[in-house]
Each structure stands twice: as C-alpha cells, then as structure tokens.
Amino acid sequence: MPPRSEPKASASPPQTVPLAHQQILLDIFNTTFSSILSSDTFDATLQEIKQALFNRDFAQAFSKEEYLDVYAARWSPGRALGYANIFDGLRDSIDATATDGTLRMVSLGGCGAEQVAFASYVARSKKASKGELVLVDSAPWSSASQKIHEAITAPLPLSKYASAAKKAANTALLSPSDFQTTFKQANVLDLTRQQWADILGPNPVVVTIMFTLNELYTAGGIGKTTKFIINLGGALPKNSVLVMVDSPGDYSETTVGKESRKYPISWLLQHSLEQMETQEKIVLHSITGSGSVWFRLNETLDYRIPLENMRYQMQAFRVGEEARE
C-alpha cells in the first residue's frame, strides 16, 4: 500500500452549527459545573492540572474526580463546540452509520466535549432520532459524565423572571429515552480485540480519538499503541467511521521510548494505520484530512470563564465494504 501522505494545512472550515445552538451547548456546561466554576479552589486546582499536563504526567492530571470536574469545566466547552462543527462536516458519513434510527458513537480517551458534541449532533440529525454513546477512558469520568448527561436530558434552569413563552420553549436538548451514555473505565492499551468487539457491537459505529494519541504513544510507546490500533481496527464493523483529532504542527510531536526520540503524531499514526490495514486485511477509505485547522469561538457566546479557540489536525476514515473476507 502506498504511504499515506501527511494532511496539508487548510483554511478553517465554515461553522455550520447555529450560534443559538452553540450557546445551548455552553449553557449545559454552565449548569453542570456552576458550583465548580464559582468555587474558591477552582484557580488553584486548575494550576495543579496545568502543571501536570506541562510535565506530561497525564496519570496525575486525570487522577481524581476533583481534577476531572475542573478540567471539564475549563477545556471541554470550547472543544465541544469545535467537535460539534467537525461532526457536522462529516454528516453524510456519520448518518450512514445509523441503524434503525439510532446512531452509536464510541469515544476513546474523552468525556465531556465528546458527550455534548454527540448529543448536539443527534438533536439536530434528520436521519436518526436516538443516540447511544460509550465513553472509554482510564480516568474516573463516571461522575462527571453522569452530571453532563443529566444536563443534556433535562430542561436547563431559567431565571424566575423568565417569560412564560421562554419557560414553555425551554426543553431538554434530548429526552432521556432518546440519549444513552455509558462510561467504561479501562485502559484502551490493554483491551483485546474481543473486548473491542464487545464494546463496538456488530453494526456500523462512529469511533473518535480526540486529543488522546499523544498521551497513548507517550504511555505505551509505538509497539503497544500500534497493537491497540490493530485490535481496534480488527473489531470495527464495516462502514464504521473513525475520526482522529490531535494537536497540529509543532505541538504534534511526542517523545517515545528509552532514547526519548521525538516523532510527529501524523507519522506515528500513519505507521499504526498501515500495520492495522496489513494485519487485519481491512481497507480504510479517507473521508477527509486537515493538517492544521482553527475553530474560532464567536465573541457573542457567553460562558462563565474565558474560552480559547481550538487548533487541530484531523483525519477521518470509513471502513470499506471490501474490508474483510
């Protein structure tokens, strides 16, 4: 198979999620983490997380629920809007995975941002009326994901001075019967192909790996992370969609191995995907790829603390019909 070329830098894609809907997504985070954002310890805890991330001590950064709540309140809202826009750009491919009106997504190494972005997609989908999300992460995200799920599936609180019309129009983003969230705490590097098959199921599914590859290659090295991708690929049903987002450019290098050699994430991923295609005899059809893209937040959006624009690289693939014999 010819080598997969590195995605080229490209202009930022148009934003297709309406601003009013983006504000609803931010309000879900405002509601979920209201007490966290107003806590006297928020800034100090945030600095502890930043220091751990700077030191590339990912285990420490995501070691306890207090850190996860602060992390989700700080970084997940902006990313949720960016992911919602990414999913919108993949609408035809994602819609094609729906089975009996239900979309399934399995998100590896993430929680709040993927959870709200997927709920946003289902709420605005014309092809599916229900969504099932499985979150897989080694950190204890269960409590945070449950709180976010409750905010997604219940009307957001309104001021007691809200008009009758506003109160009547205030409905949940999705009803509890139309949106299911399951969290599985596990190290993805340790899961077998059969375990992935059990998680993914027999029907087409959307799998996301968002800003997680760097952490995986750092923790597991090239060999173990490649084995993870091979096991995952071997369990992916035909017509599934694989979406991978990570830091671009100078921020995309990771240090691997005893010799502490630096590799671009794009090179490591290409190596792992080629091994997956060869060993599992599957074909990945490229849907889209971008080497460096900005998602810029609209200045009119309201959130309790300042949020940042998201710069990223992305690759998305569909598992081909001719994948396996």
Side-chain angles (χ1 to χ4, degrees):
M1 185 189 74
R4 186 175 286 107
S5 60
E6 183 173 347
K8 298 179 180 179
S10 60
S12 299
Q15 293 195 23
T16 55
V17 180
L19 272 180
H21 186 81
Q22 292 186 43
Q23 184 59 58
I24 291 173
L25 304 186
L26 290 183
D27 288 343
I28 288 173
F29 286 101
N30 270 321
T31 297
T32 303
F33 299 108
S34 175
S35 61
I36 300 296
L37 290 164
S38 60
S39 170
D40 293 338
T41 62
F42 179 84
D43 289 337
T45 304
L46 184 62
Q47 289 306 313
E48 292 175 14
I49 298 170
K50 286 182 176 180
Q51 187 62 53
L53 293 173
F54 178 80
N55 294 336
R56 303 181 67 79
D57 188 352
F58 300 114
Q60 173 63 21
F62 303 113
S63 60
K64 49 189 177 181
E65 291 183 4
E66 177 189 5
Y67 282 2
L68 298 179
D69 280 347
V70 170
Y71 182 94
R74 172 62 182 86
W75 282 289
S76 293
R79 285 187 175 180
L81 300 190
Y83 295 170
N85 203 64
I86 289 172
F87 295 159
D88 249 26
L90 298 170
R91 184 163 293 277
D92 289 345
S93 298
I94 291 177
D95 282 347
T97 67
T99 301
D100 297 328
T102 298
L103 285 169
R104 292 192 72 248
M105 179 176 286
V106 177
S107 294
L108 314 183
C111 179
E114 290 88 335
Q115 193 171 1
V116 172
F118 182 55
S120 166
Y121 187 91
V122 174
R124 299 175 59 239
S125 175
K126 296 179 180 179
K127 297 290 186 180
S129 58
K130 295 184 178 183
E132 296 178 1
L133 175 66
V134 179
L135 301 164
V136 185
D137 198 287
S138 58
W141 280 106
S142 180
S143 176
S145 67
Q146 179 59 35
K147 287 184 285 191
I148 293 170
H149 180 84
E150 290 172 358
I152 289 170
T153 56
L156 294 171
L158 294 176
S159 165
K160 63 180 180 179
Y161 303 108
S163 66
K166 192 167 185 179
K167 290 178 180 178
N170 184 33
T171 59
L173 183 63
L174 289 167
S175 70
S177 61
D178 291 337
F179 191 65
Q180 176 182 324
T181 301
T182 302
F183 174 71
K184 179 179 178 61
Q185 186 169 357
N187 186 337
V188 299
L189 295 175
D190 295 333
L191 296 178
T192 65
R193 175 172 169 169
Q194 183 56 54
Q195 288 174 308
W196 281 119
D198 293 339
I199 292 170
L200 298 174
N203 298 316
V205 62
V206 180
V207 176
T208 67
I209 308 177
M210 309 292 217
F211 290 103
T212 299
L213 287 171
N214 200 311
E215 178 182 347
L216 293 178
Y217 281 110
T218 298
I222 296 176
K224 195 168 184 178
T225 306
T226 298
K227 182 62 176 177
F228 144 67
I229 292 178
I230 290 171
N231 285 336
L232 174 68
L236 278 171
K238 294 177 183 179
N239 290 324
S240 292
V241 172
L242 179 61
V243 184
M244 288 166 289
V245 170
D246 221 289
S247 301
D250 295 338
Y251 300 98
S252 66
E253 287 190 341
T254 189
T255 302
V256 177
K258 295 180 179 179
E259 297 179 358
S260 298
R261 294 186 60 184
K262 288 189 175 182
Y263 297 89
I265 282 291
S266 56
W267 183 90
L268 291 169
L269 178 59
Q270 176 177 318
H271 168 79
S272 297
L273 291 177
E274 287 177 354
Q275 292 294 312
M276 179 178 74
E277 289 176 300
T278 300
Q279 294 190 32
E280 296 299 329
K281 296 182 171 59
I282 72 172
V283 175
L284 292 178
H285 298 290
S286 178
I287 300 171
T288 186
S290 302
S292 181
V293 178
W294 278 103
F295 175 81
R296 301 186 186 277
L297 296 162
N298 190 288
E299 294 180 356
T300 64
L301 293 169
D302 179 48
Y303 191 63
R304 293 277 295 275
I305 59 175
L307 298 175
E308 297 156 352
N309 299 320
M310 184 178 83
R311 186 180 174 218
Y312 62 94
Q313 61 173 304
M314 180 189 71
Q315 293 195 60
F317 303 93
R318 178 179 61 82
V319 178
E321 289 278 3
E322 68 276 31
R324 302 182 184 86
E325 298 178 356

